Amino acid sequence: MDNYSSKLPGSGSLPSFVLSLLRQRGAGEDSALGAATLAGKATIFFGEPISGRMIRAVVRDLRRTGQPICSNNFGFFWPSNLHDVLATAELQFRGPARDELLTARQLRDAGRRLFGRQESFL
């Protein structure tokens, strides 16, 4: 079962279960399910403890395989339109990535001011 846990009993896999639950719940932000809620449902279904961290890893991997799972402050949901997907990409990933790049740039510049422009392994 990849890196989510050991083989889970029951039919299907954790990624399939999560994807199915989100799609069956309906599309749109109002249908969002939090990682803890999904973990609780998966724990009951598979009969083994599933953590919110495992659910977040599953969602990440599903997104990387092309599943358009969206998220907001309330949890994960299936999109009802392109705006849902683009908003998730911007608010959850692109915005924070830009912020982290700015922090990295400021840290690098501070180091160069403090120590000069020395050779570095980076």
Side-chain angles (χ1 to χ4, degrees):
M1 241 237 19
D2 287 335
N3 56 355
Y4 312 115
S5 82
S6 60
K7 285 280 188 196
L8 295 169
S11 60
S13 67
L14 185 55
S16 297
F17 179 80
V18 169
L19 187 59
S20 176
L21 236 142
L22 292 175
R23 293 183 84 170
Q24 288 174 8
R25 176 104 170 145
E29 291 184 86
D30 294 340
S31 299
L33 289 172
T37 300
L38 286 165
K41 290 177 180 295
T43 295
I44 291 168
F45 181 80
F46 289 106
E48 284 191 22
I50 306 293
S51 68
R53 174 181 249 168
M54 289 170 66
I55 296 296
R56 287 186 291 278
V58 165
V59 169
R60 180 200 61 224
D61 290 349
L62 285 168
R63 285 171 168 164
R64 288 178 178 174
T65 64
Q67 297 296 334
I69 298 172
C70 296
S71 56
N72 60 18
N73 292 337
F74 302 105
F76 302 107
F77 61 95
W78 195 253
S80 60
N81 53 50
L82 180 59
H83 173 78
D84 289 344
V85 177
L86 298 179
T88 296
E90 182 62 30
L91 298 174
Q92 301 290 322
F93 299 103
R94 292 177 58 100
R98 277 194 300 272
D99 187 53
E100 292 300 319
L101 287 171
L102 175 62
T103 301
R105 188 177 312 124
Q106 296 292 42
L107 179 60
R108 181 197 61 212
D109 293 347
R112 287 180 174 159
R113 282 192 304 276
L114 183 62
F115 298 107
R117 294 190 179 269
Q118 304 171 9
E119 287 296 317
S120 139
F121 63 93
L122 297 177

